[in-house]
Amino acid sequence: MPIPPTMDELIKDLLKRIEVGEFQPGSQIPSTQELADHYDLSLSTIHRAVATLREQGVLVDRPGRGVFVAESTRP
């Protein structure tokens, strides 16, 4: 079983997935539960990583709809 990533590794991987176009600008990212299952991490770690990317302007919250990749991403 692989070792789960650290929060920094998680952030780098999410940024890479955005950079290569897996998550397009304006598209919704997977739910926190889906990300937690995919990376084998706790929900709190996922929440902290997503909050960090929101603070950097990479992700935006749309209340009641989810978290989306910002139209103009500048990590």
Side-chain angles (χ1 to χ4, degrees), residues 4-69:
T6 64
M7 192 174 85
D8 286 340
E9 291 169 337
L10 168 62
I11 290 170
K12 286 179 186 175
D13 191 61
L14 289 171
L15 287 170
K16 179 182 171 205
R17 293 172 78 179
I18 291 167
E19 183 181 311
V20 300
E22 184 175 343
F23 301 142
Q24 298 278 329
S27 70
Q28 186 173 13
I29 66 168
S31 71
T32 52
Q33 185 61 60
E34 290 171 323
L35 291 172
D37 292 344
H38 177 79
Y39 289 104
D40 193 26
L41 291 170
S42 70
L43 289 174
S44 64
T45 301
I46 300 296
H47 284 291
R48 287 194 329 260
V50 168
T52 298
L53 292 173
R54 279 197 319 260
E55 289 170 9
Q56 294 176 359
V58 175
L59 298 176
V60 292
D61 247 348
R62 296 201 178 140
R65 296 190 56 210
V67 179
F68 294 77
V69 178

